[in-house]
Each structure stands twice: as C-alpha cells, then as structure tokens.
C-alpha cells in the first residue's frame, strides 16, 4: 500500500484515472434515484403550478403588478408554470429556495447563495448566483422570498436509503442479465501450432460466429478443422423482471411517502382514488401552499395593510372535485341559511359578484320553524 500511495502521489493523472473508473462503475445505477426524484418532484410541481395566486383586499380580489408576476411572467425568461415547478424542485432537492427581486422587479430563482444566519438581527444572503451571474451586493431577509422545506434535509436521507436499494437493484439486475444467457465452449485441436497469427484468425472467426447468432434469425456457420463449438444455455433459475420492478417501485414509494405523496397516485391506482387525492391535497399540497402564502404575505404585504385593510395573498389551489359534484352540498348550505352566496363563492374559489341577493341569508321552508311555516300557510 505504501508503494501504491507513492505512485499515485507522484502521478496525479493515474489517480484521476482510478477515480474515473470508480465513478463510472457507481453511476450505472444512479438513474433509479434520479428517476424517482424526478417523478415525485414533477408530480408535486405540476400540482402547485396550477394554483392561482390572488391578491385580496377586503372582500375584493385585485389584479396588479404582483398578481401578474406570480401568475403570468415572474421574469423575462420563465413562465409562471415553469417558475413554480422549479421552486418545488429546488425545495425538495436542496431543502431551500431563494427568490430575489431584481431592479426591474423580476423574480429570479437563485442557483447558489450563502446564507448568513444571525441570532438577533435578520439574516442576509451573499454571493447570490443566477445563471452564472453573481450579484455583488447582499440581500437582507426582508428583501427576498426565502422558502425552507424541512428542518432536516431530505437529500441525505434519500442518499442513505438509495445505498441499500441501489445495491439490491444492481445485484438483481445483474442476475437478470445472466438469466438465459447463451454460453459456449470451443474445443481446439492441440496438434496444430497455435501461433499468434492463428490465434487472431480463430478469434476473428469466433467473433463473426457470435455476431451471426445474435443478429440473424437463421445463421449457418461452416465447420472448421480442429475447432468444435458447443453451445450451453445457462440455468433459467434467477430473479424475474418482476423482482426488478419491485425494487424500483419500493424505492419510489419510500421517497413519495417522505414527501407526502400517496404511492397509489403515482402508480395510477383507481381504487379509492378520491381518498388518495384528498390525502395528497391535505398532507402534501396544502403545507407547500401554506409555506408559500406565509412567506408571500410577509414579504409582499405591509403589516399595516395586512391588519387594517385585510390585504393578503390568497392561493387558489387546483380542485380535485368538479363544482357539479358539490351542487347538492352547496344547495344545502345556502337553503339552510348557514352561508350566503358570496361566502359560498369564496369557498368555491370563485370571485364575488355585484348582486345584492348574494349577500342575503336564505332559509327555505324545510328549515324554517314550525310556527313560521304555519303562519305562512295561513297567509
């Protein structure tokens, strides 16, 4: 080992070659982790990107510059859908996401930054990089949009979990490759002189023969004097393709549960799909939206406007139920006098209308008191 360390120390190029060999070997299975991460982040990102960020002042929703930035074009190079999908990906992958505002009010997602944490004074961010451009100034916490996903980073947990699943996946995949592998033996006549030229000719013949067997439906190979080829099929015992799928699905399921996505939704299961979707919206989507809404209300809405004018950012998330499926429940709430028309429209994520009748509380005869019903009948 001392001699090997000395050689590698003298020649850095050799050390680099050794490292590349190791990287090439370990990266063969890395796609399983990347694929699982992409599936989960894209699934959640597509859901969040369908939300509408609304600015509410009092009982009215207003459309201003901030509304346009959050819902249409955050910056010159990204649509709102692409923007929020990128935010979700960085939150899950990096456990945090920093959004800064440029001088022309564009919202930019930082690719890299240094978070300077303080105990009493507010934090600041320096060395902020966006698309290879580094801002030379520092950004205080009250001037940025900073989101944090978990108290503990998810990526190290994913890497630790993948160490076990990746090794198991590689062994099963290698076993599957060996299953039903065509093997052969070649017997040579030792009486013939095995010169270097004869060995090369023999190897070329074997290579052509293997290529013919692999690529052609019917392959005819002439017999050679002093050469006998015998084919042997490997045992069919081994891991099935289903075992490979079980390992990949197992890793995907664990990652989905860590994020809060019911695995059944990712696999397209139709049993209890409504319950799965409801759990997904409550335990996965809503916390994401609440995190974004809280940060937005603090950074974009002044405290005085928030408390006195009831101005705030309200996020209308994508609905998994059709409004027609809720028609019966809406009718009961309206006819029983529990809610008026405007309140129902708020719950249905619809804008209010300028109609006095929508402000009234209506109680039908079915919910009225018996005396009132009798009096009404006598009239």
């Amino acid at each position: 080992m001392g001699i090997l360390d000395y050689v590698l120390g003298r020649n850095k190029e050799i050390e680099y070659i050794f490292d590349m060999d190791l990287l090439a070997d370990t990266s063969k299975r890395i796609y399983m982790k990347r694929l699982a991460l992409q599936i989960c982040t894209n699934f959640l990102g597509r859901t969040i990107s369908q939300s509408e960020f609304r600015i509410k002042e009092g009982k009215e929703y207003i459309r201003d510059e901030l509304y346009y930035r959050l819902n249409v074009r955050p910056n010159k190079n990204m649509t709102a859908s692409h923007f929020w999908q990128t935010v979700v990906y960085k939150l899950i992958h990096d456990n945090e996401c920093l959004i800064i505002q440029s001088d022309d009010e564009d919202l930019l997602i930082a690719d890299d930054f240094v978070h300077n944490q303080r105990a009493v004074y507010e934090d600041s961010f320096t060395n902020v990089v966006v698309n290879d451009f580094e801002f030379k100034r520092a950004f205080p916490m009250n001037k940025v949009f900073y989101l944090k996903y978990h108290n503990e980073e998810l990526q190290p947990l994913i890497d630790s979990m993948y160490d076990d699943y990746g090794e198991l996946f590689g062994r099963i995949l290698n076993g599957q490759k060996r299953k039903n592998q065509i093997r052969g033996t070649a017997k040579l006549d030792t009486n013939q002189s095995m010169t270097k030229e004869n060995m090369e000719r023999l190897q070329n013949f074997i290579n052509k023969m293997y290529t013919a067997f692999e690529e052609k439906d019917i392959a005819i190979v002439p017999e050679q004097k002093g050469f006998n080829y015998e084919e042997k099929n490997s045992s069919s015992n081994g891991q099935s393709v289903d075992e490979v799928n079980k390992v990949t699905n197992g890793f995907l399921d664990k990652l989905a549960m860590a994020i809060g996505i019911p695995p059944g939704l990712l696999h397209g299961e139709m049993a209890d799909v409504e319950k799965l979707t409801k759990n997904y919206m409550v335990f996965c989507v809503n916390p994401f939206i609440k995190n974004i809404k809280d940060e937005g209300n603090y950074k974009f809405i002044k405290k005085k406007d928030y408390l006195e004018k009831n101005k705030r950012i309200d996020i209308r998330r994508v609905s998994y139920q059709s409004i027609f499926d809720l028609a019966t429940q809406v009718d009961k709430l309206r006819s029983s006098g529990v809610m008026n028309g405007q309140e129902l429209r708020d719950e249905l994520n619809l804008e209010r209308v300028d109609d006095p009748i929508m402000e009234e509380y209506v109680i039908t005869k079915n919910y009225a008191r018996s005396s009132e019903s009798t009096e009404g009948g006598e009239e």
Side-chain angles (χ1 to χ4, degrees):
M1 291 300 297
I3 296 176
L4 181 59
D5 292 338
Y6 174 76
V7 173
L8 294 181
R10 290 286 301 275
N11 195 334
K12 295 296 182 183
E13 184 178 357
I14 296 179
E15 183 180 5
Y16 179 75
I17 293 175
F18 274 87
D19 291 341
M20 286 301 295
D21 290 339
L22 291 175
L23 289 173
D25 183 63
T26 55
S27 62
K28 291 180 180 179
R29 308 287 182 255
I30 201 69
Y31 62 85
M32 185 179 75
K33 179 174 66 173
R34 292 179 177 175
L35 178 61
L37 189 59
Q38 286 290 341
I39 290 175
C40 293
T41 54
N42 288 340
F43 191 86
L44 180 57
R46 288 192 298 267
T47 306
I48 300 297
S49 64
Q50 296 180 67
S51 302
E52 180 186 3
F53 298 81
R54 302 189 293 181
I55 314 302
K56 185 177 182 180
E57 186 171 354
K59 296 181 179 180
E60 303 295 331
Y61 290 101
I62 60 176
R63 287 181 169 85
D64 54 7
E65 180 69 19
L66 180 59
Y67 177 89
Y68 181 83
R69 295 288 182 184
L70 296 177
N71 293 281
V72 182
R73 202 76 178 180
N75 55 66
K76 299 178 181 63
N77 300 313
M78 301 179 73
T79 63
S81 177
H82 183 204
F83 179 86
W84 290 113
Q85 287 189 46
T86 305
V87 169
V88 171
Y89 178 82
K90 292 190 71 65
L91 270 176
I92 295 178
H93 189 270
D94 300 336
N95 200 48
E96 59 183 356
C97 180
L98 176 66
I99 303 172
I100 63 173
Q101 195 166 24
S102 63
D103 296 334
D104 54 358
E105 297 186 350
D106 277 357
L107 300 179
L108 305 175
I109 301 175
D111 298 317
D112 192 19
F113 57 89
V114 175
H115 186 182
N116 304 304
Q117 298 182 351
R118 296 179 174 87
V120 179
Y121 299 100
E122 66 176 357
D123 296 353
S124 63
F125 300 88
T126 56
N127 303 110
V128 178
V129 178
V130 178
N131 293 335
D132 297 330
F133 177 80
E134 181 176 348
F135 289 85
K136 301 302 180 182
R137 66 178 184 269
F139 294 86
M141 177 63 81
N142 63 351
K143 297 297 183 180
V144 299
F145 197 93
Y146 179 69
L147 299 172
K148 196 171 181 63
Y149 182 48
H150 279 307
N151 291 331
E152 185 176 357
E153 292 188 17
L154 184 62
Q155 191 63 33
L157 299 177
I158 297 175
D159 295 337
S160 299
M161 181 173 60
Y162 177 74
D163 288 341
D164 295 331
Y165 273 94
E167 182 180 358
L168 181 61
F169 177 74
R171 291 188 178 185
I172 293 178
L173 195 61
N174 289 334
Q176 182 64 28
K177 289 181 178 180
R178 291 193 299 269
K179 183 180 178 182
N180 294 326
Q181 183 185 31
I182 298 178
R183 302 175 183 175
T185 58
K187 295 181 180 180
L188 305 178
D189 188 359
T190 58
N191 294 327
Q192 296 184 1
S193 59
M194 298 305 296
T195 63
K196 181 178 180 180
E197 182 180 357
N198 289 338
M199 288 295 293
E200 291 179 354
R201 292 176 59 188
L202 178 61
Q203 185 62 50
N204 291 334
F205 174 75
I206 294 175
N207 293 339
K208 291 180 180 180
M209 182 179 65
Y210 285 163
T211 302
F213 288 160
E214 181 181 8
E215 297 180 354
K216 298 180 180 180
D217 296 333
I218 300 176
I220 300 176
V221 178
E223 293 185 354
Q224 300 292 324
K225 183 178 180 181
F227 173 77
N228 182 28
Y229 169 75
E230 182 180 357
E231 186 174 298
K232 297 180 180 180
N233 290 332
S234 62
S235 175
S236 60
N237 296 328
Q239 304 290 345
S240 64
V241 178
D242 292 337
E243 295 296 326
V244 179
N245 294 333
K246 287 180 180 178
V247 174
T248 55
N249 290 337
F251 180 76
L252 175 62
D253 293 349
K254 292 294 189 299
L255 178 57
M257 288 188 291
I259 297 175
I261 303 175
L265 288 179
L266 296 179
H267 298 304
E269 297 178 4
M270 299 305 297
D272 296 329
V273 65
E274 185 174 347
K275 293 181 179 179
L276 293 176
T277 306
K278 184 177 180 179
N279 289 337
Y280 167 63
M281 300 301 293
V282 172
F283 299 110
C284 184
V285 176
N286 286 353
F288 253 92
I289 291 179
K290 182 68 166 54
N291 190 9
I292 297 173
K293 183 166 63 174
D294 290 345
E295 184 70 6
N297 282 323
Y298 172 65
K299 297 301 170 60
F300 294 122
I301 307 297
K302 295 181 180 179
K303 181 179 179 179
K304 183 177 181 180
D305 293 339
Y306 186 88
L307 296 176
E308 297 181 2
K309 298 182 181 180
N310 195 24
K311 185 177 181 181
R312 62 196 63 207
I313 293 179
D314 188 19
I315 302 179
R316 176 187 177 184
R317 61 179 176 82
V318 59
S319 176
Y320 64 94
Q321 287 181 312
S322 170
I323 190 174
F324 300 104
D325 297 334
L326 304 174
T328 301
Q329 291 85 343
V330 170
D331 177 68
K332 292 295 183 181
L333 292 171
R334 178 74 162 138
S335 61
S336 62
V338 175
M339 304 178 74
N340 63 23
Q342 302 288 22
E343 293 170 340
L344 285 172
R345 293 183 67 86
D346 290 340
E347 293 297 325
L348 294 173
N349 289 320
L350 299 175
E351 294 188 8
R352 295 192 172 204
V353 294
D354 187 13
D355 191 342
I357 195 174
M358 299 299 291
E359 301 286 349
E360 298 178 2
Y361 289 89
V362 179
I363 299 180
T364 61
K365 291 183 178 180
N366 294 334
Y367 293 97
R369 296 178 181 177
S370 57
S371 59
E372 295 178 358
S373 301
T374 305
E375 292 175 1
E378 291 176 354
E379 291 178 359

